[in-house]
């Protein structure tokens, strides 16, 4: 994700997908001619959400309202993932940005919110394509990414998911 036009243009030349987290970034990606867009983030606008659905973007759902919008759209042939919220601090003590409080983003595994979101997609006749596991971390420790990967495997098995992608991140570069 980046909102600097020269960086966006360079990534496009290299064949990258645009991964956007806001309406501004979504519009910038369109302005630069991206065909392949991954739409993440908890503050998607309804206008760009519906545009992304219509134009085949990968959309990682972050909240119940986005499930509501998906239902409202009536579209079934979409590529959607769910942002997973789980207690990574338990696995990597002292390494997550959210700490003991946990993240406020995504669907919580521990409260059953994630399972309800998976079930709701099934009820809508929509296949879950992927899992979105982005976390803020204080470190670039391999343990963070190992924890994310283990949770992805656990969820795939526990919920018998057939996934086409995993979107993991939280700071591969810098620091």
């Amino acid at each position: 994700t980046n909102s600097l036009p020269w960086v966006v243009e360079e990534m496009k030349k290299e064949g990258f997908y645009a991964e956007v987290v806001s309406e501004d970034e979504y519009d910038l990606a369109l302005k630069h001619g991206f065909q392949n867009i991954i739409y993440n983030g908890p503050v998607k606008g309804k206008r760009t959400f519906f545009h992304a659905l219509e134009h085949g973007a990968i959309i990682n759902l972050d909240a119940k309202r986005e499930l509501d919008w998906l239902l409202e759209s009536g579209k079934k042939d979409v590529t959607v993932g769910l942002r997973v919220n789980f207690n990574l601090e338990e696995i990597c003590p002292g390494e997550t940005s959210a700490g003991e409080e946990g993240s406020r983003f995504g669907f919580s595994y521990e409260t059953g919110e994630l399972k309800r979101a998976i079930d709701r997609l099934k009820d809508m006749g929509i296949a879950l394509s992927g899992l979105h596991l982005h976390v803020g971390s204080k470190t670039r420790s391999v343990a963070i990414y190992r924890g994310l990967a283990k949770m992805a495997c656990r969820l795939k098995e526990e919920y018998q998911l057939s996934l086409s992608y995993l979107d993991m991140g939280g700071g591969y570069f810098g620091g």
Side-chain angles (χ1 to χ4, degrees):
T1 64
N2 200 299
S3 54
L4 296 173
W6 68 270
V7 173
V8 171
E9 192 60 37
E10 189 61 32
M11 295 298 105
K12 182 173 178 269
K13 285 181 198 170
E14 295 297 323
F16 284 79
Y17 279 49
E19 186 164 7
V20 301
V21 297
S22 69
E23 285 191 314
D24 288 344
E25 286 183 2
Y26 184 84
D27 289 338
L28 182 64
L30 292 177
K31 181 179 177 181
H32 284 273
F34 277 91
Q35 299 298 311
N36 297 312
I37 298 175
I38 302 167
Y39 203 175
N40 289 332
V43 290
K44 296 175 195 78
K46 191 172 183 179
R47 172 187 62 85
T48 51
F49 184 90
F50 276 85
H51 187 275
L53 280 176
E54 287 299 319
H55 292 87
I58 295 169
I59 303 176
N60 288 317
L61 307 172
D62 211 286
K64 182 185 172 293
R65 75 179 175 146
E66 294 171 10
L67 285 166
D68 294 342
W69 291 346
L70 187 55
L71 180 63
E72 183 182 328
S73 78
K75 292 188 70 64
K76 304 271 188 236
D77 186 24
V78 294
T79 304
V80 295
L82 291 173
R83 184 169 190 173
V84 179
N85 176 331
F86 72 102
N87 188 357
L88 183 59
E89 184 68 20
E90 186 176 287
I91 299 166
C92 301
E95 292 191 57
T96 66
S97 298
E100 299 276 331
E101 293 178 15
S103 177
R104 63 187 187 277
F105 302 120
F107 297 93
S108 171
Y109 172 74
E110 285 84 6
T111 67
E113 188 179 28
L114 178 63
K115 172 75 167 98
R116 288 189 295 277
I118 292 169
D119 290 343
R120 186 156 179 216
L121 285 173
K122 284 181 188 172
D123 291 346
M124 285 191 265
I126 296 172
L128 176 62
S129 299
L131 296 175
H132 177 219
L133 296 134
H134 282 209
V135 297
S137 62
K138 296 177 189 175
T139 71
R140 300 299 183 246
S141 163
V142 172
I144 292 286
Y145 302 102
R146 184 179 295 120
L148 295 174
K150 282 184 178 182
M151 178 51 98
C153 291
R154 177 179 179 179
L155 295 172
K156 185 180 184 322
E157 186 175 306
E158 185 174 332
Y159 299 128
Q160 300 171 4
L161 302 174
S162 179
L163 304 171
S164 57
Y165 73 88
L166 256 196
D167 188 338
M168 288 180 27
Y172 287 114
F173 304 106

